[in-house]
Short mmCIF file of all heavy atoms in Angstrom, two decimals:
data_model
loop_
_atom_site.label_atom_id
_atom_site.label_comp_id
_atom_site.label_asym_id
_atom_site.label_seq_id
_atom_site.Cartn_x
_atom_site.Cartn_y
_atom_site.Cartn_z
N GLN A 44 5.29 -44.07 -5.91
CA GLN A 44 4.70 -45.07 -5.01
C GLN A 44 5.70 -45.66 -4.04
O GLN A 44 5.44 -46.69 -3.43
CB GLN A 44 3.97 -46.15 -5.81
CG GLN A 44 4.79 -47.30 -6.33
CD GLN A 44 5.55 -46.99 -7.55
OE1 GLN A 44 5.90 -45.79 -7.86
NE2 GLN A 44 5.77 -48.01 -8.40
N GLU A 45 6.88 -44.97 -3.89
CA GLU A 45 7.90 -45.46 -3.02
C GLU A 45 8.35 -46.86 -3.31
O GLU A 45 8.20 -47.80 -2.49
CB GLU A 45 7.47 -45.39 -1.57
CG GLU A 45 7.13 -43.93 -1.13
CD GLU A 45 6.81 -43.82 0.34
OE1 GLU A 45 7.69 -44.10 1.18
OE2 GLU A 45 5.68 -43.46 0.66
N PRO A 46 8.84 -47.14 -4.56
CA PRO A 46 9.20 -48.50 -4.95
C PRO A 46 10.48 -48.96 -4.31
O PRO A 46 11.29 -48.21 -3.80
CB PRO A 46 9.42 -48.30 -6.46
CG PRO A 46 9.93 -46.91 -6.65
CD PRO A 46 9.12 -46.11 -5.60
N ARG A 47 10.61 -50.27 -4.23
CA ARG A 47 11.85 -50.87 -3.75
C ARG A 47 12.86 -51.08 -4.83
O ARG A 47 14.03 -51.34 -4.64
CB ARG A 47 11.50 -52.26 -3.04
CG ARG A 47 10.61 -52.10 -1.89
CD ARG A 47 9.96 -53.43 -1.47
NE ARG A 47 11.00 -54.38 -1.10
CZ ARG A 47 10.66 -55.71 -0.98
NH1 ARG A 47 9.48 -56.19 -1.25
NH2 ARG A 47 11.64 -56.54 -0.58
N LEU A 48 12.35 -51.14 -6.10
CA LEU A 48 13.19 -51.34 -7.35
C LEU A 48 12.83 -50.36 -8.35
O LEU A 48 11.66 -50.09 -8.59
CB LEU A 48 12.93 -52.72 -7.87
CG LEU A 48 13.53 -53.01 -9.27
CD1 LEU A 48 15.03 -53.02 -9.33
CD2 LEU A 48 12.97 -54.30 -9.84
N VAL A 49 13.82 -49.60 -8.90
CA VAL A 49 13.66 -48.70 -9.94
C VAL A 49 14.33 -49.12 -11.17
O VAL A 49 15.60 -49.48 -11.10
CB VAL A 49 14.12 -47.27 -9.56
CG1 VAL A 49 13.93 -46.28 -10.76
CG2 VAL A 49 13.40 -46.76 -8.35
N VAL A 50 13.65 -49.26 -12.36
CA VAL A 50 14.21 -49.67 -13.63
C VAL A 50 14.31 -48.45 -14.50
O VAL A 50 13.32 -47.80 -14.80
CB VAL A 50 13.33 -50.81 -14.26
CG1 VAL A 50 13.95 -51.20 -15.59
CG2 VAL A 50 13.25 -52.01 -13.35
N LEU A 51 15.52 -48.20 -14.97
CA LEU A 51 15.71 -47.01 -15.79
C LEU A 51 16.36 -47.41 -17.10
O LEU A 51 17.42 -47.99 -17.14
CB LEU A 51 16.71 -46.02 -15.09
CG LEU A 51 16.39 -45.64 -13.63
CD1 LEU A 51 17.51 -44.84 -13.00
CD2 LEU A 51 15.09 -44.89 -13.58
N ASP A 52 15.70 -47.11 -18.21
CA ASP A 52 16.21 -47.41 -19.56
C ASP A 52 16.74 -46.17 -20.15
O ASP A 52 15.98 -45.25 -20.54
CB ASP A 52 15.05 -47.95 -20.38
CG ASP A 52 15.47 -48.64 -21.74
OD1 ASP A 52 16.76 -48.59 -21.92
OD2 ASP A 52 14.70 -49.13 -22.43
N GLU A 53 18.05 -46.10 -20.31
CA GLU A 53 18.73 -44.91 -20.85
C GLU A 53 18.33 -43.64 -20.09
O GLU A 53 17.77 -42.76 -20.76
CB GLU A 53 18.54 -44.83 -22.33
CG GLU A 53 19.04 -46.00 -23.10
CD GLU A 53 20.55 -46.09 -23.18
OE1 GLU A 53 21.24 -45.15 -22.78
OE2 GLU A 53 21.06 -47.11 -23.56
N PRO A 54 18.52 -43.49 -18.84
CA PRO A 54 17.97 -42.33 -18.11
C PRO A 54 18.63 -41.03 -18.49
O PRO A 54 18.02 -39.94 -18.22
CB PRO A 54 18.31 -42.69 -16.64
CG PRO A 54 19.46 -43.62 -16.72
CD PRO A 54 19.21 -44.44 -17.95
N THR A 55 19.82 -41.05 -19.12
CA THR A 55 20.47 -39.73 -19.47
C THR A 55 20.45 -39.57 -20.96
O THR A 55 21.23 -38.75 -21.49
CB THR A 55 21.90 -39.74 -18.95
OG1 THR A 55 22.60 -40.89 -19.44
CG2 THR A 55 21.93 -39.66 -17.45
N ALA A 56 19.62 -40.29 -21.71
CA ALA A 56 19.59 -40.15 -23.15
C ALA A 56 19.19 -38.72 -23.59
O ALA A 56 18.13 -38.22 -23.20
CB ALA A 56 18.62 -41.14 -23.76
N GLY A 57 20.00 -38.13 -24.39
CA GLY A 57 19.71 -36.74 -24.88
C GLY A 57 19.86 -35.66 -23.92
O GLY A 57 19.44 -34.53 -24.14
N VAL A 58 20.45 -35.93 -22.76
CA VAL A 58 20.59 -34.93 -21.68
C VAL A 58 22.00 -34.33 -21.76
O VAL A 58 22.98 -35.02 -22.06
CB VAL A 58 20.37 -35.58 -20.31
CG1 VAL A 58 20.54 -34.52 -19.23
CG2 VAL A 58 18.96 -36.15 -20.21
N ASP A 59 22.17 -33.00 -21.54
CA ASP A 59 23.43 -32.39 -21.57
C ASP A 59 24.30 -32.77 -20.38
O ASP A 59 23.73 -33.45 -19.40
CB ASP A 59 23.27 -30.84 -21.66
CG ASP A 59 22.64 -30.24 -20.42
OD1 ASP A 59 22.70 -30.89 -19.32
OD2 ASP A 59 21.97 -29.20 -20.55
N PRO A 60 25.57 -32.56 -20.38
CA PRO A 60 26.42 -32.98 -19.31
C PRO A 60 26.01 -32.61 -17.94
O PRO A 60 26.12 -33.43 -17.00
CB PRO A 60 27.82 -32.46 -19.66
CG PRO A 60 27.79 -32.28 -21.15
CD PRO A 60 26.37 -31.91 -21.46
N ALA A 61 25.51 -31.38 -17.76
CA ALA A 61 25.02 -30.95 -16.39
C ALA A 61 23.86 -31.72 -15.96
O ALA A 61 23.75 -32.19 -14.81
CB ALA A 61 24.74 -29.47 -16.46
N GLY A 62 22.86 -31.95 -16.86
CA GLY A 62 21.71 -32.68 -16.57
C GLY A 62 22.03 -34.17 -16.31
O GLY A 62 21.48 -34.83 -15.39
N SER A 63 23.01 -34.67 -17.05
CA SER A 63 23.44 -36.05 -16.89
C SER A 63 24.02 -36.28 -15.48
O SER A 63 23.83 -37.29 -14.83
CB SER A 63 24.42 -36.45 -17.92
OG SER A 63 24.92 -37.75 -17.77
N ARG A 64 24.81 -35.23 -15.03
CA ARG A 64 25.47 -35.30 -13.71
C ARG A 64 24.36 -35.26 -12.65
O ARG A 64 24.49 -35.97 -11.63
CB ARG A 64 26.39 -34.14 -13.60
CG ARG A 64 27.04 -33.99 -12.19
CD ARG A 64 27.99 -35.08 -11.82
NE ARG A 64 29.10 -35.18 -12.83
CZ ARG A 64 30.16 -35.93 -12.61
NH1 ARG A 64 30.29 -36.72 -11.53
NH2 ARG A 64 31.08 -36.04 -13.56
N GLU A 65 23.35 -34.47 -12.82
CA GLU A 65 22.24 -34.37 -11.82
C GLU A 65 21.54 -35.72 -11.66
O GLU A 65 21.28 -36.13 -10.58
CB GLU A 65 21.24 -33.23 -12.23
CG GLU A 65 21.80 -31.83 -12.10
CD GLU A 65 20.84 -30.83 -12.62
OE1 GLU A 65 19.85 -31.19 -13.24
OE2 GLU A 65 21.06 -29.64 -12.35
N ILE A 66 21.34 -36.36 -12.82
CA ILE A 66 20.64 -37.66 -12.78
C ILE A 66 21.50 -38.72 -12.15
O ILE A 66 21.02 -39.55 -11.37
CB ILE A 66 20.21 -38.08 -14.23
CG1 ILE A 66 19.11 -37.09 -14.74
CG2 ILE A 66 19.70 -39.50 -14.22
CD1 ILE A 66 18.74 -37.32 -16.17
N ARG A 67 22.76 -38.67 -12.39
CA ARG A 67 23.78 -39.56 -11.71
C ARG A 67 23.68 -39.41 -10.25
O ARG A 67 23.66 -40.38 -9.48
CB ARG A 67 25.20 -39.23 -12.24
CG ARG A 67 26.22 -40.22 -11.73
CD ARG A 67 27.56 -39.63 -11.51
NE ARG A 67 27.56 -38.70 -10.41
CZ ARG A 67 28.58 -38.18 -9.80
NH1 ARG A 67 29.82 -38.61 -10.15
NH2 ARG A 67 28.44 -37.31 -8.77
N ASP A 68 23.70 -38.15 -9.77
CA ASP A 68 23.65 -37.88 -8.29
C ASP A 68 22.28 -38.39 -7.77
O ASP A 68 22.28 -38.83 -6.60
CB ASP A 68 23.80 -36.39 -8.05
CG ASP A 68 25.13 -35.85 -8.39
OD1 ASP A 68 26.07 -36.69 -8.52
OD2 ASP A 68 25.30 -34.60 -8.60
N LEU A 69 21.18 -38.30 -8.50
CA LEU A 69 19.91 -38.77 -8.07
C LEU A 69 19.95 -40.32 -7.90
O LEU A 69 19.42 -40.87 -6.91
CB LEU A 69 18.82 -38.37 -9.02
CG LEU A 69 18.36 -36.92 -8.98
CD1 LEU A 69 17.38 -36.64 -10.12
CD2 LEU A 69 17.67 -36.64 -7.63
N ILE A 70 20.59 -41.00 -8.83
CA ILE A 70 20.67 -42.42 -8.69
C ILE A 70 21.50 -42.82 -7.48
O ILE A 70 21.17 -43.82 -6.78
CB ILE A 70 21.33 -42.98 -10.04
CG1 ILE A 70 20.40 -42.76 -11.22
CG2 ILE A 70 21.58 -44.46 -9.91
CD1 ILE A 70 20.99 -43.13 -12.52
N LEU A 71 22.64 -42.12 -7.26
CA LEU A 71 23.41 -42.43 -6.08
C LEU A 71 22.63 -42.13 -4.80
O LEU A 71 22.76 -42.84 -3.83
CB LEU A 71 24.70 -41.55 -6.08
CG LEU A 71 25.71 -41.97 -7.21
CD1 LEU A 71 26.89 -40.99 -7.17
CD2 LEU A 71 26.23 -43.36 -6.93
N ASP A 72 21.73 -41.12 -4.87
CA ASP A 72 20.87 -40.83 -3.72
C ASP A 72 19.91 -41.94 -3.46
O ASP A 72 19.64 -42.32 -2.24
CB ASP A 72 20.17 -39.53 -3.86
CG ASP A 72 19.48 -39.06 -2.64
OD1 ASP A 72 20.09 -38.89 -1.61
OD2 ASP A 72 18.18 -38.91 -2.68
N LEU A 73 19.37 -42.51 -4.49
CA LEU A 73 18.45 -43.64 -4.40
C LEU A 73 19.19 -44.86 -3.75
O LEU A 73 18.56 -45.55 -2.80
CB LEU A 73 17.91 -44.11 -5.74
CG LEU A 73 17.06 -43.11 -6.52
CD1 LEU A 73 16.67 -43.62 -7.83
CD2 LEU A 73 15.83 -42.72 -5.70
N LYS A 74 20.42 -45.10 -4.13
CA LYS A 74 21.21 -46.14 -3.53
C LYS A 74 21.39 -45.92 -2.04
O LYS A 74 21.28 -46.84 -1.22
CB LYS A 74 22.57 -46.24 -4.25
CG LYS A 74 23.47 -47.36 -3.61
CD LYS A 74 24.84 -47.32 -4.31
CE LYS A 74 25.78 -48.37 -3.67
NZ LYS A 74 27.09 -48.38 -4.30
N ARG A 75 21.66 -44.67 -1.66
CA ARG A 75 21.85 -44.36 -0.21
C ARG A 75 20.54 -44.60 0.57
O ARG A 75 20.56 -44.92 1.75
CB ARG A 75 22.28 -42.92 -0.09
CG ARG A 75 23.74 -42.64 -0.37
CD ARG A 75 24.19 -41.28 0.02
NE ARG A 75 23.61 -40.20 -0.82
CZ ARG A 75 24.12 -39.73 -1.93
NH1 ARG A 75 25.31 -40.24 -2.32
NH2 ARG A 75 23.54 -38.84 -2.61
N ARG A 76 19.38 -44.50 -0.13
CA ARG A 76 18.11 -44.69 0.51
C ARG A 76 17.78 -46.18 0.58
O ARG A 76 16.68 -46.55 1.04
CB ARG A 76 17.05 -43.91 -0.27
CG ARG A 76 17.09 -42.43 -0.13
CD ARG A 76 16.24 -41.74 -1.16
NE ARG A 76 16.34 -40.33 -1.08
CZ ARG A 76 15.27 -39.54 -0.62
NH1 ARG A 76 14.11 -40.03 -0.27
NH2 ARG A 76 15.44 -38.19 -0.53
N GLY A 77 18.63 -47.04 -0.01
CA GLY A 77 18.44 -48.46 0.00
C GLY A 77 17.54 -48.93 -1.10
O GLY A 77 17.03 -50.15 -1.13
N ILE A 78 17.30 -48.16 -2.16
CA ILE A 78 16.51 -48.56 -3.30
C ILE A 78 17.33 -49.17 -4.36
O ILE A 78 18.44 -48.69 -4.66
CB ILE A 78 15.81 -47.32 -3.90
CG1 ILE A 78 14.80 -46.67 -2.85
CG2 ILE A 78 15.02 -47.65 -5.18
CD1 ILE A 78 14.20 -45.38 -3.37
N THR A 79 16.94 -50.33 -4.85
CA THR A 79 17.66 -51.02 -5.93
C THR A 79 17.42 -50.37 -7.25
O THR A 79 16.27 -49.98 -7.53
CB THR A 79 17.15 -52.50 -6.02
OG1 THR A 79 17.19 -53.06 -4.65
CG2 THR A 79 18.01 -53.33 -6.91
N VAL A 80 18.47 -50.26 -8.03
CA VAL A 80 18.38 -49.57 -9.31
C VAL A 80 18.95 -50.55 -10.39
O VAL A 80 20.05 -51.02 -10.27
CB VAL A 80 19.17 -48.26 -9.38
CG1 VAL A 80 19.05 -47.60 -10.76
CG2 VAL A 80 18.64 -47.31 -8.31
N LEU A 81 18.14 -50.84 -11.37
CA LEU A 81 18.53 -51.61 -12.52
C LEU A 81 18.49 -50.61 -13.71
O LEU A 81 17.37 -50.10 -14.05
CB LEU A 81 17.63 -52.79 -12.75
CG LEU A 81 17.81 -53.57 -14.04
CD1 LEU A 81 19.24 -54.19 -14.09
CD2 LEU A 81 16.78 -54.67 -14.16
N LEU A 82 19.60 -50.40 -14.37
CA LEU A 82 19.58 -49.41 -15.45
C LEU A 82 20.39 -49.96 -16.67
O LEU A 82 21.20 -50.80 -16.57
CB LEU A 82 20.23 -48.11 -14.95
CG LEU A 82 21.73 -48.07 -14.62
CD1 LEU A 82 22.55 -47.71 -15.86
CD2 LEU A 82 21.96 -47.05 -13.52
N SER A 83 19.89 -49.35 -17.87
CA SER A 83 20.56 -49.64 -19.03
C SER A 83 21.07 -48.33 -19.58
O SER A 83 20.33 -47.29 -19.52
CB SER A 83 19.60 -50.22 -20.06
OG SER A 83 20.02 -50.23 -21.39
N SER A 84 22.33 -48.30 -20.06
CA SER A 84 22.85 -46.94 -20.48
C SER A 84 24.05 -47.27 -21.44
O SER A 84 24.65 -48.26 -21.45
CB SER A 84 23.45 -46.27 -19.26
OG SER A 84 24.05 -45.08 -19.68
N HIS A 85 24.17 -46.24 -22.36
CA HIS A 85 25.33 -46.26 -23.28
C HIS A 85 26.41 -45.39 -22.78
O HIS A 85 27.54 -45.40 -23.35
CB HIS A 85 24.88 -45.71 -24.62
CG HIS A 85 24.08 -46.75 -25.47
ND1 HIS A 85 22.73 -46.71 -25.54
CD2 HIS A 85 24.50 -47.85 -26.14
CE1 HIS A 85 22.33 -47.69 -26.29
NE2 HIS A 85 23.38 -48.38 -26.71
N LEU A 86 26.28 -44.65 -21.65
CA LEU A 86 27.31 -43.80 -21.14
C LEU A 86 28.15 -44.67 -20.17
O LEU A 86 27.95 -44.70 -18.98
CB LEU A 86 26.66 -42.58 -20.45
CG LEU A 86 25.84 -41.68 -21.32
CD1 LEU A 86 25.32 -40.51 -20.47
CD2 LEU A 86 26.69 -41.13 -22.52
N LEU A 87 29.17 -45.23 -20.71
CA LEU A 87 29.94 -46.23 -20.00
C LEU A 87 30.76 -45.59 -18.85
O LEU A 87 30.93 -46.20 -17.76
CB LEU A 87 30.85 -47.01 -20.91
CG LEU A 87 30.13 -47.76 -22.06
CD1 LEU A 87 31.20 -48.54 -22.83
CD2 LEU A 87 29.09 -48.62 -21.51
N ALA A 88 31.22 -44.40 -19.02
CA ALA A 88 32.02 -43.71 -17.93
C ALA A 88 31.10 -43.46 -16.76
O ALA A 88 31.49 -43.63 -15.60
CB ALA A 88 32.58 -42.44 -18.45
N GLN A 89 29.81 -43.09 -17.03
CA GLN A 89 28.91 -42.84 -15.91
C GLN A 89 28.53 -44.16 -15.27
O GLN A 89 28.42 -44.22 -14.01
CB GLN A 89 27.61 -42.14 -16.47
CG GLN A 89 26.67 -41.71 -15.37
CD GLN A 89 25.49 -41.00 -15.97
OE1 GLN A 89 24.55 -41.63 -16.47
NE2 GLN A 89 25.54 -39.68 -15.86
N VAL A 90 28.30 -45.22 -15.99
CA VAL A 90 27.96 -46.50 -15.45
C VAL A 90 29.14 -46.96 -14.56
O VAL A 90 28.96 -47.51 -13.44
CB VAL A 90 27.75 -47.54 -16.58
CG1 VAL A 90 27.72 -48.97 -15.98
CG2 VAL A 90 26.46 -47.22 -17.34
#
């Protein structure tokens, strides 16, 4: 629905390193589009 805010709870949970990298890139793309992202994660290096 083209939100202005996206809330992600552990978006890379159980995902392999390649999939985790893809999701990271998607989050960065959302930021470039001006979308606010609030996320919770245990992957501190990615955060």
Side-chain angles (χ1 to χ4, degrees):
Q44 83 279 30
E45 301 184 63
R47 298 163 62 194
L48 168 68
V49 178
V50 179
L51 308 174
D52 191 0
E53 299 291 347
T55 54
V58 179
D59 62 28
S63 178
R64 175 68 60 170
E65 291 176 349
I66 293 172
R67 186 213 69 163
D68 292 341
L69 285 172
I70 294 173
L71 291 175
D72 188 57
L73 295 180
K74 179 183 176 180
R75 285 190 290 269
R76 292 165 179 249
I78 297 173
T79 308
V80 180
L81 172 60
L82 66 89
S83 168
S84 177
H85 283 101
L86 298 181
L87 302 183
Q89 188 178 79
V90 170

